[in-house]
Amino acid sequence: MENRRVRVRFAPSPTGPLHMGGVRTALYNYLFAKKHGGDFLLRIEDTDQTRYVAGAEEYVVDALKWCGMTIDEGASVGGDNGPYRQSERKPMYRQYAQQLLESGHAYYAFDTPEELTEMRERLKAAGMAAPQYNAVTRSGMKNSLTLSAEEVKKRLDAGDKYIVRVKMPRNEEVKFEDIIRGWVCVNTNNLDDKVLFKSDGMPTYHLANVVDDYLMNISHVIRGEEWLPSAPLHVLLYRFFGWADVMPEFAHLPLILRPDGNGKLSKRDGDRLGFPVFPTNWKNPETGEQSSGYRERGYYPGAFNNMLAFLGWNPGTTQELFSMEELIQAFSLERVGKAGAKFDFDKTNWFNQQYLRMHNGSELATQLKPYLAAENLVVENEYIAQVCDLMKERATFVQDILKEGPYFFEAPTSYDEKTIKKKWKEQTPEHIRELSGLLKELPLFDAESIGACFKSFLEAKELGFGAVMPGFRVSVTGLGAGASMNDIAALLGKKEVLRRIEVALNSIKK
RNA sequence: GUCCCCUUCAUCUAGUGGUUAGGAUAUUACCCUUUCACGGUAAAAACAGGGGUUCAAUUCUCCUAGGGGAUACCA
């Protein structure tokens, strides 16, 4: 047990795209596995065929890949413990249900959905808030505990629909030690006879998950807190099967909460909270509804991971920027907090800004190119790189460089009204024209020379920066603010600068 | 309703039986600067409440409140 190989699984249900909470669960699993030199498996939990959504599995695989998580074994890559899709494992589960039936830990139930609803309605009317199929109520239902052996056999032979329920023992304390929460203790009187095997021949999550984790030799189950209430049932199942000695350790992660009000972040939140909840774009195949993803919004996978890792975990130091490799080294489940964490979009952007700065101009140029191409701007790499170097400190996303500095790629077609209104004085055209004439004579058109030229012009005319600079800027860039004008002008080149000034002087009217 | 889990600045969080309760994001101010950013320096900002235990509790414990989760032939 102690030196068991670490094997963890991420086990999403393909009912739609993964949301960030799911990605974080996958990430913690991945980090834990890699930290301990273990395996990260991907298992598709598609036991509910009615909820299957086309493309969901591909989405998950693609999203994990984008985030930089490599699947060692599982759906999309294969392995020795397959298949890794529960629907394809369907024939394997029946025998396990049978085993429980034979050992008396489970029983057949023949109640129709209508009968179940009727029972619930009746008990609700009697004042029970959440009626359960349990040790008390099962005696009034149609199952192999209340029906005679002959009747049960007759129904089974006749091919009547049935399900298998766990026979929850009475008044027993189920205890298990969660890595994050410590000892968790629940009395079985509060647990119900959960369905293990459905009438369509598929297992429910509870059975499938325990059987598969056992068969796949999973050492640690790291999943969201929403599973905590059913963990005691799973523990019991391991015991009933006689697998208690190889039962995985549990770690129930705190949930990611919505930044507004309360509640956990869910797929349904889409973009309506003002930020994406999905790692990558998603189009609902049924409704056609589109949801945006972090990838397409221009976030770096590293920044996204880094942000996610810190939502519920921290290294105990003041370091906040971690590469995947560093996260693996630093990660431990012991440092995962217990309380739910509200998602902070501002901080997400901050992480991205930090990541953007780690890239040099030519790397950013490569990243920016697609955005330029989308605007039909064809520019030389070297030039883009210089623009990026100049602009990166004011960008959170690469595309901000284009957004904040369109003038690097196209001459302005309009001029910022506010700046014109406030800074374009009567004397301005005259000053700009004079400055233009001086710039024209510069033998070397670099930032330093331009700066010196500008300064000597001001001195000669006894003018302040504010009297000329804004006009100069708006003439050349069309904007009232931005990077150093000396740098901008140098990058643009003398010819272009002079040309733009000419155009501006002819078109700016006040 | 019932069961389970949780509770440090607005947010993510560090932390210890005795600390000026630390950092980051966001906010504000000042500095730098032609401007916008960046950067720098500051500021404001928290131990949910009430009992215990203790010389001493943010820290241990109980209760209350608040929040979250679960309560399906869904995962």
Side-chain angles (χ1 to χ4, degrees):
Chain A
M1 271 297 275
E2 289 315 310
N3 292 314
R4 169 135 83 134
R5 180 178 179 80
V6 168
R7 284 172 62 79
V8 300
R9 84 300 196 272
F10 177 55
S13 153
T15 56
L18 264 189
H19 69 77
M20 348 178 358
V23 179
R24 191 199 55 169
T25 301
L27 180 63
Y28 283 13
N29 269 283
Y30 177 79
L31 296 175
F32 183 77
K34 296 299 118 184
K35 163 94 182 191
H36 297 284
D39 307 318
F40 174 65
L41 316 224
L42 174 66
R43 186 171 71 217
I44 303 298
E45 311 235 323
D46 54 352
T47 52
D48 185 353
Q49 292 158 332
T50 64
R51 292 211 307 163
Y52 175 80
V53 172
E57 182 181 328
E58 292 71 20
Y59 181 96
V60 171
V61 171
D62 181 54
L64 293 182
K65 190 175 167 198
W66 177 64
C67 291
M69 293 180 237
T70 317
I71 301 161
D72 295 308
E73 194 182 315
S76 84
V77 299
D80 298 334
N81 302 276
Y84 295 93
R85 224 168 263 126
Q86 290 181 328
S87 58
E88 292 171 13
R89 299 169 68 80
K90 185 174 177 182
M92 307 172 64
Y93 302 108
R94 181 168 245 114
Q95 58 172 304
Y96 291 99
Q98 195 62 38
Q99 184 184 333
L100 258 20
L101 247 9
E102 279 161 20
S103 61
H105 291 301
Y107 60 91
Y108 293 104
F110 301 96
D111 315 278
T112 63
E114 295 71 38
E115 287 169 328
L116 287 174
T117 326
E118 191 273 326
M119 178 266 277
R120 293 198 180 101
E121 292 304 317
R122 185 161 38 82
L123 291 177
K124 257 186 209 165
M128 204 172 291
Q132 292 187 315
Y133 203 116
N134 59 21
V136 187
T137 56
R138 68 182 169 227
S139 60
M141 306 300 289
K142 292 199 183 86
N143 52 56
S144 59
L145 264 19
T146 59
L147 267 21
S148 69
E150 297 81 60
E151 174 69 13
V152 171
K153 188 171 184 310
K154 209 180 89 188
R155 282 174 179 260
L156 256 22
D157 290 345
D160 280 11
K161 289 247 179 204
Y162 69 87
I163 59 171
V164 176
R165 286 181 181 274
V166 65
K167 188 180 173 193
M168 188 54 66
R170 291 209 73 167
N171 200 28
E172 251 178 57
E173 298 290 336
V174 181
K175 270 174 80 172
F176 68 95
E177 191 172 15
D178 185 279
I179 297 173
I180 294 169
R181 281 149 217 288
W183 286 99
V184 176
C185 186
V186 180
N187 189 292
T188 54
N189 287 350
N190 296 312
L191 268 22
D192 63 347
D193 293 355
K194 278 270 177 305
V195 175
L196 300 178
F197 198 80
K198 304 188 269 189
S199 58
D200 64 357
M202 275 293 218
T204 58
Y205 169 82
H206 304 293
L207 211 220
N209 138 280
V210 167
V211 167
D212 287 348
D213 284 345
Y214 168 73
L215 260 17
M216 295 179 185
N217 235 303
I218 296 302
S219 64
H220 300 262
V221 169
I222 303 168
R223 75 225 306 189
E225 194 187 349
E226 68 266 31
W227 292 110
L228 198 50
S230 48
L233 166 68
H234 303 156
V235 170
L236 242 22
L237 253 19
Y238 279 98
R239 287 188 202 157
F240 294 163
F241 279 123
W243 303 334
D245 56 334
V246 290
M247 181 174 82
E249 289 194 60
F250 292 100
H252 288 93
L253 271 17
L255 267 12
I256 297 180
L257 275 15
R258 307 156 44 119
D260 73 327
N262 285 307
K264 69 168 172 174
L265 202 58
S266 87
K267 284 177 196 175
R268 296 181 168 276
D269 291 322
D271 285 296
R272 83 189 60 159
L273 263 21
F275 56 84
V277 299
F278 300 125
T280 62
N281 277 1
W282 167 257
K283 183 178 175 187
N284 186 318
E286 275 152 41
T287 63
E289 188 194 350
Q290 313 250 11
S291 304
S292 73
Y294 285 86
R295 181 219 264 155
E296 290 79 1
R297 288 260 194 130
Y299 289 84
Y300 291 103
F304 183 63
N305 279 339
N306 202 150
M307 172 278 293
L308 242 26
F310 270 71
L311 230 41
W313 170 86
N314 77 82
T317 65
T318 55
Q319 184 184 348
E320 294 201 89
L321 267 15
F322 282 78
S323 66
M324 188 64 111
E325 201 44 51
E326 290 172 313
L327 282 175
I328 291 169
Q329 289 312 314
F331 189 77
S332 83
L333 287 172
E334 283 70 26
R335 292 206 65 89
V336 172
K338 301 177 210 272
K342 280 188 188 165
F343 174 64
D344 185 346
F345 193 45
D346 284 331
K347 189 113 186 202
T348 305
N349 290 333
W350 177 80
F351 271 112
N352 208 65
Q353 184 187 33
Q354 299 303 309
Y355 273 71
L356 182 135
R357 289 173 175 207
M358 292 176 197
H359 295 98
N360 63 35
S362 76
E363 290 166 336
L364 292 171
T366 307
Q367 297 162 22
L368 186 60
K369 255 196 146 163
Y371 294 98
L372 293 172
E375 304 285 328
N376 292 316
L377 297 168
V378 182
V379 198
E380 221 179 292
N381 274 358
E382 175 55 27
Y383 177 76
I384 308 174
Q386 288 178 324
V387 171
C388 289
D389 270 326
L390 187 54
M391 296 296 286
K392 72 186 231 185
E393 63 195 24
R394 62 199 71 222
T396 297
F397 303 98
V398 234
Q399 64 268 35
D400 289 350
I401 293 173
L402 173 57
K403 220 177 282 171
E404 303 289 317
Y407 49 84
F408 284 111
F409 308 102
E410 275 183 312
T413 50
S414 64
Y415 300 90
D416 183 66
E417 271 181 50
K418 222 175 110 189
T419 309
I420 298 299
K421 206 170 164 191
K422 284 179 73 175
K423 309 285 185 180
W424 196 266
K425 308 278 193 255
E426 215 178 309
Q427 308 282 315
T428 306
E430 189 188 322
H431 293 148
I432 299 296
R433 192 170 296 285
E434 258 180 87
L435 175 67
S436 173
L438 292 170
L439 289 173
K440 190 177 178 184
E441 301 308 317
L442 278 180
L444 185 61
F445 204 73
D446 64 356
E448 204 182 327
S449 313
I450 296 165
C453 170
F454 193 90
K455 214 171 153 201
S456 63
F457 168 71
L458 293 183
E459 276 164 12
K461 309 285 291 181
E462 293 188 332
L463 290 166
F465 268 99
V468 188
M469 187 59 87
F472 181 36
R473 178 183 293 282
V474 79
S475 299
V476 176
T477 70
L479 303 175
S484 154
M485 264 319 283
N486 298 338
D487 291 326
I488 293 173
L491 247 176
L492 250 18
K494 188 197 279 184
K495 206 177 138 196
E496 179 66 10
V497 171
L498 297 183
R499 194 184 68 78
R500 288 188 185 187
I501 288 176
E502 214 41 54
V503 173
L505 289 175
N506 289 328
S507 49
I508 297 176
K509 300 270 185 309
K510 209 182 163 181

